């Protein structure tokens, strides 16, 4: 609240002077509001916990019983500087290596083309398998980006694999 006080001069003169007024502003409600806002933001930051992405990893002690058909597999290698190298089918010394990046015209287009090819061969695109391999130079952001692409493209079967010796030769890794 604010108040206006009138102070009258001690002597009354014949001249008509304006009286001096002083204002006093009570800041108590403003301070209360500030503390309420601070309390609100402290409680909300304490209550909102960061969420993490669930990653289900298989039990590595047993070899998988079902083999992936070469015609339905696409292997991507995550490298440094947001570069992705890929090949279709099984890794052989004669495999054709492609290079792309994280963009709709890049890896997304390649995944969609491979899914369409599998759908044409198998009458359903659900048998498409994406194999993700990360080099030592790749970053965690690259992994998050490729998992986002898996979600965007509705890839039902994908897994993470370790780099094989043939992959080191194909991708020129150390």
């Amino acid at each position: 609240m604010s108040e206006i006080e009138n102070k009258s001069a001690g002597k009354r003169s014949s001249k008509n002077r304006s009286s001096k007024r002083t204002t006093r502003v009570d800041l108590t409600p403003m301070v209360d509001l500030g503390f309420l806002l601070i309390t609100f933001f402290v409680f909300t930051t304490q209550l909102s916990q960061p969420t993490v992405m669930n990653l289900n990893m298989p039990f590595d002690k047993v070899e998988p019983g079902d083999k992936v058909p070469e015609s339905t597999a696409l292997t991507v290698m995550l490298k440094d500087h947001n570069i992705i190298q890929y090949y279709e089918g099984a890794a052989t010394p004669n495999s054709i290596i492609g290079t792309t990046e994280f963009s709709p015209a890049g890896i997304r287009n390649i995944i969609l083309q491979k899914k369409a090819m599998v759908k044409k061969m198998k009458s359903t695109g659900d048998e498409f398998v994406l194999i993700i391999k990360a080099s030592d130079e790749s970053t965690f952001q690259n992994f998050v980006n490729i998992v986002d692409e898996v979600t965007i493209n509705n890839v039902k079967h994908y897994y993470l694999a370790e780099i094989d010796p043939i992959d080191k030769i194909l991708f020129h890794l150390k």
Side-chain angles (χ1 to χ4, degrees):
M1 294 227 144
S2 62
E3 296 177 6
I4 300 175
E5 296 178 7
N6 288 332
K7 288 187 178 179
S8 58
K11 299 180 186 176
R12 298 254 176 179
S13 65
S14 61
K15 295 182 182 178
N16 192 5
R17 290 189 175 178
S18 63
S19 61
K20 295 184 179 183
R21 295 180 184 185
T22 61
T23 57
R24 186 176 73 79
V25 178
D26 186 15
L27 293 178
T28 304
M30 187 65 76
V31 171
D32 290 344
L33 180 65
F35 278 114
L36 283 173
L37 286 173
I38 290 172
T39 305
F40 171 75
F41 286 118
V42 166
F43 282 140
T44 55
T45 56
Q46 289 295 328
L47 294 177
S48 65
Q49 297 290 332
T51 58
V52 296
M53 179 175 47
N54 291 331
L55 183 63
N56 297 326
M57 298 298 288
F59 184 66
D60 289 341
K61 303 294 183 206
V62 179
E63 281 292 317
D66 55 341
K67 299 293 182 188
V68 176
E70 291 180 16
S71 61
T72 63
L74 176 70
T75 303
V76 295
M77 173 69 72
L78 306 176
K79 298 188 85 177
D80 58 345
H81 305 297
N82 296 330
I83 295 174
I84 303 171
Q85 290 185 318
Y86 63 93
Y87 62 89
E88 296 182 20
T92 63
N94 299 332
S95 294
I96 299 171
I97 304 295
T99 303
T100 187
E101 72 282 340
F102 292 103
S103 70
I107 190 65
R108 187 174 303 165
N109 192 23
I110 292 164
I111 290 173
L112 290 174
Q113 286 176 359
K114 184 64 178 179
K115 276 184 75 171
M117 188 183 317
V118 170
K119 186 174 183 177
K120 189 185 295 184
M121 286 187 318
K122 302 282 186 174
S123 76
T124 178
D126 291 343
E127 294 184 29
F128 169 65
V129 177
L130 182 67
I131 303 168
I132 302 169
K133 298 182 179 186
S135 67
D136 293 336
E137 297 89 26
S138 67
T139 62
F140 186 71
Q141 183 63 44
N142 292 346
F143 177 73
V144 170
N145 289 343
I146 197 70
V147 172
D148 285 345
E149 289 296 330
V150 165
T151 305
I152 290 169
N153 293 309
N154 197 19
V155 176
K156 300 210 184 305
H157 305 286
Y158 69 97
Y159 69 93
L160 308 175
E162 294 182 14
I163 299 172
D164 298 331
I166 188 100
D167 291 328
K168 290 183 180 183
I169 295 168
L170 284 174
F171 296 119
H172 308 291
L173 299 174
K174 296 175 184 176

